[in-house]
């Protein structure tokens, strides 16, 4: 079985294909280079991989097309699309990242720089919430248009409360 | 002397678990109060009795003195252990215990109040002939006064608002020419922020180290010096990494600090364990900062180098027993603690509460792990997002560093973002390895807050792609045994994966 894939990390896109031969180990090929991977699954996203004798212990979590991988106490996030998804969306899908910004903890809204109806870019600072004696600026998770601002400057907010919605 | 048979622990998370464990070893029954957010927490599961305090906010639960006393009376406890934070440094709890004839595992209300008031504590320290940071004792509002004080102390000096903190109304002044304008700005900022334009002047200790002394004192007037801890690895005045003993402390300085700390404990007739905090300058002159009248988060490293159980000592002292003699106390090797937080260091340390989907702390020789969570636990939004304290102990500091790096890389957790990688960067940094740390060293390294990009990407993408491809067909059985149970397990798993794809 052979499938094409596209990875998106931040703004970078990478293509590769993956083969699972009937006999032999899975192989990932990117450009002209191939990686033969001896993959052992332990269930629930836990994997042990041998590549040229080197050992990799990896844990994966998945939320639709968004993946989180843990390796040696470190974490990395990326989006992965296979050819089926690419065909269905007619290309690379728009980020499925939720356009909702919520405060992870209780605090107070100190400053709002977003405006309803305005276009924002991924990474743009939109709102500042003060909590646990520190100011935290929340940024746009992706490109879009500010659909709704649910709070005002000076409001107290609860953990998990929606602050801004982006379309 | 009153033997404690039942204790109410007025705290949560890892410290509640810590205290429960020692109580269990001592045959003491444990009672805990929990908030609505903590019903499923590990500490509740481990206690003998547990009662609801109230809703999640601390004010309605862990700071709810009235409710806590109600529970104490109802359950007929002999003692209350406050842990750290919450009510541990409010004299009201100690006072209420005294009134209710319940033993308080900690010092008297007067001692707590005396050390809780920073001005009073400084004055008491000075009286006990403990070096303090040179500065004004009373607030000043006159430029001439400040000029004289600054000249006496020598620059650099710090002008601080008398009425509040948090960095507002604070200015560092490096030379005399800057004093007047710094004073104007600090005063007006203070007036705006706190309604009081008065300021203090203090000498600035440059590149200070934060060194604290652990002491214990029983009801018989016996004091014990339990060595020091170095807590200089901090960010915005929050401790991240602590170690015992110091990487570098001259023996005569250690002795002087020990004597000073015990003198202060005697001056306030202190009972229980306590920590006296100091700033050290580059010549190892030490200056009193404050005294913490409770068990500290980092008591662990002291336990590792002494082999003592400080919670046990606390309980024995509360019962009126005598401390062991100083010559019985030895230190051995070196211990380091890392605080693992649910936060994202690469997004300005934004707290990231959530559910720990998987959790496998490291193990092996010389590893200690204090936590209040297990796999599946929620890190609630309402409290400090501490996941765990990872402590290592080895023969030397160098070996402890190697062990900590090993332990951090072995640590597996998911579902929340953590500072694990940031901690690895810190411990592996040149300054930390050389032991040349001070409280501002992180400020010089903004690059630590940028994640390294050196992941084995092809391996990771390969596994993810593999998972996508194999979840669409029945996975080959991993087990050589075939039984209906294994068969069922794979089809449940397949079903689950298919559900997850929808």
């Amino acid at each position: 079985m052979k499938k094409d894939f596209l990875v998106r990390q931040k703004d970078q896109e990478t293509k590769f294909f993956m083969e699972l031969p009937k006999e032999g180990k899975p192989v990932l090929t990117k450009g002209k280079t191939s990686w033969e991977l001896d993959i052992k699954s332990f269930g629930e996203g836990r994997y042990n991989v041998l590549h040229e004798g080197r050992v990799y212990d990896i844990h994966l979590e998945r939320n639709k097309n968004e993946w989180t991988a843990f390796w040696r106490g470190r974490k990395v996030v990326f989006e992965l699309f296979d050819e089926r998804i690419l065909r269905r969306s007619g290309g690379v899908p728009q980020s499925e990242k939720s356009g909702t910004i919520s405060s992870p903890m209780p605090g107070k809204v100190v400053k709002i720089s977003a405006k309803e109806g305005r276009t924002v870019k991924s990474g743009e600072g939109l709102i500042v919430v003060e909590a646990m004696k520190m100011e935290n600026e929340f940024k746009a998770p992706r490109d879009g248009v500010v659909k709704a601002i649910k709070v005002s400057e000076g409001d107290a907010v609860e953990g998990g409360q929606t602050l801004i919605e982006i379309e | 002397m009153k033997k404690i048979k039942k204790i109410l622990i007025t705290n949560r998370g890892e410290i509640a678990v810590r205290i429960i464990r020692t109580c269990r070893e001592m045959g003491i029954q444990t009672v805990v109060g929990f908030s609505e957010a903590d019903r499923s927490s590990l500490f509740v599961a481990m206690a003998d009795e547990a009662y609801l305090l109230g809703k999640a906010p601390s004010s309605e639960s862990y700071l709810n003195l009235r409710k806590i006393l109600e529970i104490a009376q109802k359950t007929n406890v002999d003692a209350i252990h406050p842990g750290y934070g919450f009510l541990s440094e409010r004299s009201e709890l100690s006072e209420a215990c005294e009134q209710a004839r319940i033993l308080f595992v900690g010092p008297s209300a007067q001692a707590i109040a005396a050390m809780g008031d920073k001005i009073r504590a400084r004055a008491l320290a000075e009286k006990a002939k403990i070096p303090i940071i040179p500065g004004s004792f009373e607030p000043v509002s006159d430029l001439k006064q400040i000029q004289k004080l600054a000249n006496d102390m020598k620059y650099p000096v710090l002008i601080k608002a008398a009425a509040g903190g948090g960095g507002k109304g604070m200015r560092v002044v490096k030379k005399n020419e800057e004093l007047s304008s710094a004073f104007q700005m600090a005063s007006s900022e203070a007036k705006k922020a706190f309604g009081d334009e008065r300021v203090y002047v203090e000498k600035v200790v440059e590149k200070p180290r934060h060194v604290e002394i652990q002491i214990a004192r029983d009801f018989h007037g016996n004091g014990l010096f339990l060595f020091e801890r170095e807590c200089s690895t901090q960010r915005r005045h929050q401790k991240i990494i602590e170690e015992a003993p110091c990487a570098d402390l001259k023996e005569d300085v250690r002795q002087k600090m020990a004597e000073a700390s015990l003198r202060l404990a005697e001056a306030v007739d202190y009972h229980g364990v306590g920590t006296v905090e100091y700033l050290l300058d580059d010549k190892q002159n030490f200056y009193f900062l404050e005294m913490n009248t409770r068990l500290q988060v980092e008591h662990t490293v002291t336990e590792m180098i002494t082999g003592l159980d400080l919670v046990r000592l606390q309980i024995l002292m509360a019962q009126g027993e005598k401390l062991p003699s100083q010559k019985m106390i030895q230190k051995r090797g070196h211990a380091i603690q890392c605080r693992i937080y649910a936060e994202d260091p690469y997004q300005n340390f934004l707290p990231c509460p959530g559910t720990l989907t998987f959790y496998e702390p490291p193990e092996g020789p010389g590893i200690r792990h204090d936590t209040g969570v297990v796999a599946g636990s929620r890190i609630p939004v309402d409290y400090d997002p501490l996941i765990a304290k990872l402590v290592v102990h080895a023969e030397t500091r160098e070996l402890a560093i190697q062990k900590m790096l090993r332990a951090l890389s072995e640590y597996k957790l998911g579902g929340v973002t953590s500072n694990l990688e940031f901690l690895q960067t810190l411990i592996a940094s040149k300054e930390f390895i050389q032991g040349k740390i001070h409280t501002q060293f992180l400020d010089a390294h903004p690059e630590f807050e940028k994640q390294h990009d050196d992941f084995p990407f092809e391996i990771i993408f390969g596994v993810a792609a593999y998972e996508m491809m194999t979840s669409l067909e029945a996975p080959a059985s991993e087990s050589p045994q075939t039984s209906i149970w294994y068969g069922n397990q794979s089809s449940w798993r397949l079903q689950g994966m298919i559900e997850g794809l929808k």
Side-chain angles (χ1 to χ4, degrees):
Chain A
M1 163 152 77
K2 176 178 164 209
K3 283 207 175 239
D4 286 306
F5 287 90
L6 187 143
V7 180
R8 179 163 62 202
Q9 254 193 300
K10 297 193 185 140
D11 288 318
Q12 256 198 317
E13 288 176 8
T14 313
K15 290 197 175 121
F16 64 89
F17 65 84
M18 190 80 183
E19 284 170 275
L20 303 185
K22 282 209 166 54
E23 304 256 339
K25 308 257 175 276
V27 180
L28 179 152
T29 306
K30 189 174 86 169
K32 294 206 173 80
T33 325
S34 286
W35 282 260
E36 185 186 84
L37 308 171
D38 179 340
I39 300 176
K40 190 81 176 172
S41 163
F42 296 108
E44 291 176 339
R46 302 191 47 202
Y47 292 91
N48 177 268
V49 184
L50 300 179
H51 169 64
E52 294 179 353
R54 298 195 69 88
V55 183
Y56 299 88
D57 211 51
I58 296 180
H59 185 108
L60 291 176
E61 288 184 346
R62 177 185 183 176
N63 183 5
K64 301 206 192 110
N65 296 328
E66 198 177 279
W67 296 73
T68 304
F70 294 90
W71 172 70
R72 296 222 180 131
R74 300 167 62 188
K75 181 186 108 145
V76 70
V77 180
F78 56 93
E79 290 170 284
L80 183 65
F81 310 104
D82 66 9
E83 46 189 46
R84 183 178 53 102
I85 299 172
L86 293 171
R87 262 200 308 272
R88 219 173 23 184
S89 331
V92 183
Q94 213 221 3
S95 179
E96 277 178 353
K97 277 214 179 110
S98 162
T100 304
I101 299 179
S102 47
S103 176
M105 67 278 164
K108 192 172 98 168
V109 179
V110 171
K111 181 164 162 232
I112 302 180
S113 13
K115 278 196 169 47
E116 281 185 13
R118 219 185 62 184
T119 308
V120 293
K121 288 195 107 22
S122 169
E124 203 179 304
L126 300 177
I127 182 170
V128 179
V129 174
E130 188 194 281
M132 305 205 207
K133 300 179 196 162
M134 294 201 302
E135 288 194 350
N136 300 287
E137 184 182 37
F138 295 98
K139 307 188 167 117
R142 56 176 172 75
D143 295 351
V145 176
V146 179
K147 185 168 101 175
I149 301 181
K150 300 259 182 193
V151 292
S152 312
E153 286 185 12
D155 283 357
V157 295
E158 286 175 7
Q161 183 174 340
T162 303
L163 306 172
I164 295 182
E165 278 171 8
I166 297 181
E167 238 165 6
Chain B
M1 235 166 70
K2 180 183 174 186
K3 195 115 179 113
I4 294 174
K5 296 206 213 52
K6 198 174 187 189
I7 274 190
L8 168 61
I9 299 164
T10 58
N11 214 301
R12 62 175 300 279
E14 70 86 18
I15 193 62
V17 171
R18 165 77 190 86
I19 298 166
I20 289 172
R21 286 188 166 136
T22 289
C23 289
R24 192 143 289 153
E25 287 170 16
M26 295 174 79
I28 297 173
Q29 294 276 303
T30 51
V31 182
V32 298
F34 61 92
S35 75
E36 283 179 4
D38 276 332
R39 173 62 183 88
S40 315
S41 292
L42 178 62
F43 77 95
V44 174
M46 287 179 72
D48 293 309
E49 293 177 44
Y51 298 89
L52 180 66
L53 287 166
K55 292 194 156 58
S58 305
S59 53
E60 297 184 52
S61 51
Y62 303 101
L63 293 174
N64 187 345
L65 184 57
R66 193 191 47 81
K67 188 76 191 176
I68 285 170
L69 291 170
E70 229 177 77
I71 295 173
Q73 308 275 19
K74 181 167 73 169
T75 54
N76 230 347
V77 293
D78 301 309
I80 290 184
H81 195 311
Y84 55 69
F86 295 125
L87 288 170
S88 64
E89 281 186 298
R90 305 259 191 106
S91 53
E92 294 94 325
L93 179 58
S94 180
E95 176 80 49
C97 284
E98 229 176 299
Q99 308 259 345
R101 309 278 204 100
I102 297 176
L103 291 176
F104 179 67
V105 183
S108 65
Q110 291 95 304
I112 295 178
M115 292 294 117
D117 176 343
K118 305 295 177 234
I119 318 262
R120 254 181 91 190
R122 234 173 90 96
L124 279 163
E126 224 218 1
K127 214 165 119 191
K129 296 209 183 7
I130 299 172
I132 50 170
I133 300 176
S136 56
F137 267 109
E138 274 153 22
V140 289
S141 40
D142 181 62
L143 179 58
K144 274 209 168 54
Q145 247 185 314
I146 295 195
Q147 210 125 37
K148 175 162 193 319
L149 284 166
N151 284 325
D152 287 344
M153 282 183 236
K154 304 227 195 345
Y155 290 89
V157 300
L158 178 67
I159 301 184
K160 313 210 297 211
K168 295 214 163 72
M170 254 170 129
R171 284 288 183 290
V172 176
V173 189
K174 300 214 168 84
K175 37 188 196 233
N176 195 32
E177 296 76 53
E178 297 168 7
L179 186 63
S180 173
S181 71
F183 170 58
Q184 314 269 26
M185 290 201 288
S187 301
S188 71
E189 220 175 74
K191 177 98 187 158
K192 253 202 298 201
F194 313 113
D196 183 352
E197 78 277 7
R198 293 177 309 160
V199 295
Y200 289 114
V201 187
E202 231 176 50
K203 179 156 179 62
V204 173
V205 179
E206 298 201 279
K207 298 200 179 165
R209 288 167 57 187
H210 177 125
V211 176
E212 53 190 42
I213 301 285
Q214 178 72 62
I215 56 124
R217 189 166 180 273
D218 62 24
F219 277 97
H220 306 265
N222 302 310
L224 262 191
F225 162 59
L226 299 176
F227 308 104
E228 77 279 4
R229 291 185 288 262
E230 173 105 45
C231 307
S232 301
T233 309
Q234 300 179 358
R235 188 187 158 266
R236 295 202 201 170
H237 306 288
Q238 306 287 336
K239 297 171 187 170
I240 309 176
I241 301 173
E242 299 109 332
E243 46 187 315
C246 282
D248 169 27
L249 191 66
K250 293 187 256 194
E251 189 56 38
D252 65 308
V253 175
R254 177 180 282 119
Q255 283 313 313
K256 289 207 191 89
M257 291 175 82
E259 281 158 17
S261 307
L262 288 170
R263 262 200 322 274
L264 186 62
E266 205 178 335
V268 295
D269 195 23
Y270 193 83
H271 303 122
V273 305
T275 298
V276 188
E277 299 190 340
Y278 299 89
L279 285 187
L280 256 69
D281 67 17
D282 55 5
K283 296 189 177 46
Q284 296 201 9
N285 293 311
F286 60 94
Y287 304 100
F288 173 77
L289 250 186
E290 60 183 42
M291 180 172 186
N292 294 319
T293 55
R294 54 175 167 77
L295 189 70
Q296 296 216 217
V297 176
E298 58 271 24
H299 72 276
T300 49
V301 291
T302 297
E303 291 185 329
M304 299 304 270
I305 62 167
T306 56
L308 294 171
D309 178 337
L310 290 183
V311 174
R312 186 185 158 85
L313 272 187
Q314 281 185 298
I315 294 173
L316 292 176
M317 281 190 281
Q319 286 179 170
E321 296 188 35
K322 269 201 195 154
L323 282 172
S325 67
Q326 185 70 60
K327 59 180 189 283
M328 306 263 301
I329 312 297
Q330 309 269 359
K331 71 170 157 74
R332 194 195 150 138
H334 198 95
I336 302 178
Q337 170 174 284
C338 282
R339 300 189 189 194
I340 320 264
Y341 279 107
E343 62 186 14
D344 192 344
Y346 309 116
Q347 300 235 50
N348 213 23
F349 296 88
L350 181 69
C352 300
T355 304
L356 270 180
T357 51
F358 71 97
Y359 190 55
E360 279 173 32
E363 294 188 51
I367 307 282
R368 167 178 169 170
H369 188 252
D370 283 26
T371 185
V373 296
V374 294
S377 291
R378 270 188 61 243
I379 313 282
V381 305
D382 319 84
Y383 318 109
D384 194 90
L386 180 72
I387 297 173
K389 292 158 19 183
L390 177 61
V391 191
V392 302
H393 180 238
E395 290 298 297
T396 65
R397 185 171 191 271
E398 193 187 331
L399 289 176
I401 288 175
Q402 289 173 11
K403 195 176 286 285
M404 180 56 85
L405 286 172
R406 184 274 285 175
L408 287 169
S409 72
E410 218 179 89
Y411 212 120
K412 293 183 173 52
L413 65 81
V416 298
T417 307
S418 77
N419 62 345
L420 276 171
E421 187 174 349
F422 180 73
L423 289 166
Q424 290 175 41
T425 308
L426 278 187
I427 301 265
S429 72
K430 196 169 61 145
E431 285 93 333
F432 191 86
I433 292 180
Q434 289 174 354
K436 292 193 183 349
I437 34 183
H438 54 83
T439 59
Q440 290 148 15
F441 106 85
L442 274 187
D443 295 341
H445 290 283
E447 77 277 11
F448 286 177
E449 292 179 36
K450 288 206 161 39
Q451 192 177 24
H452 291 164
D453 228 6
D454 56 339
F455 284 87
F457 286 114
E458 289 76 22
I459 314 292
I460 292 172
F461 299 154
V463 186
Y466 175 86
E467 181 161 304
M468 279 184 82
M469 290 167 81
T470 53
S471 62
L472 294 173
E473 43 187 310
S477 172
E478 292 293 328
S479 163
Q481 296 165 287
T482 40
S483 71
I484 50 165
W485 296 113
Y486 280 100
N488 277 350
Q489 200 180 60
S490 349
S491 51
W492 277 120
R493 216 159 65 81
L494 175 61
Q495 192 60 31
M497 284 180 189
I498 290 174
E499 290 299 316
L501 283 176
K502 286 196 185 139

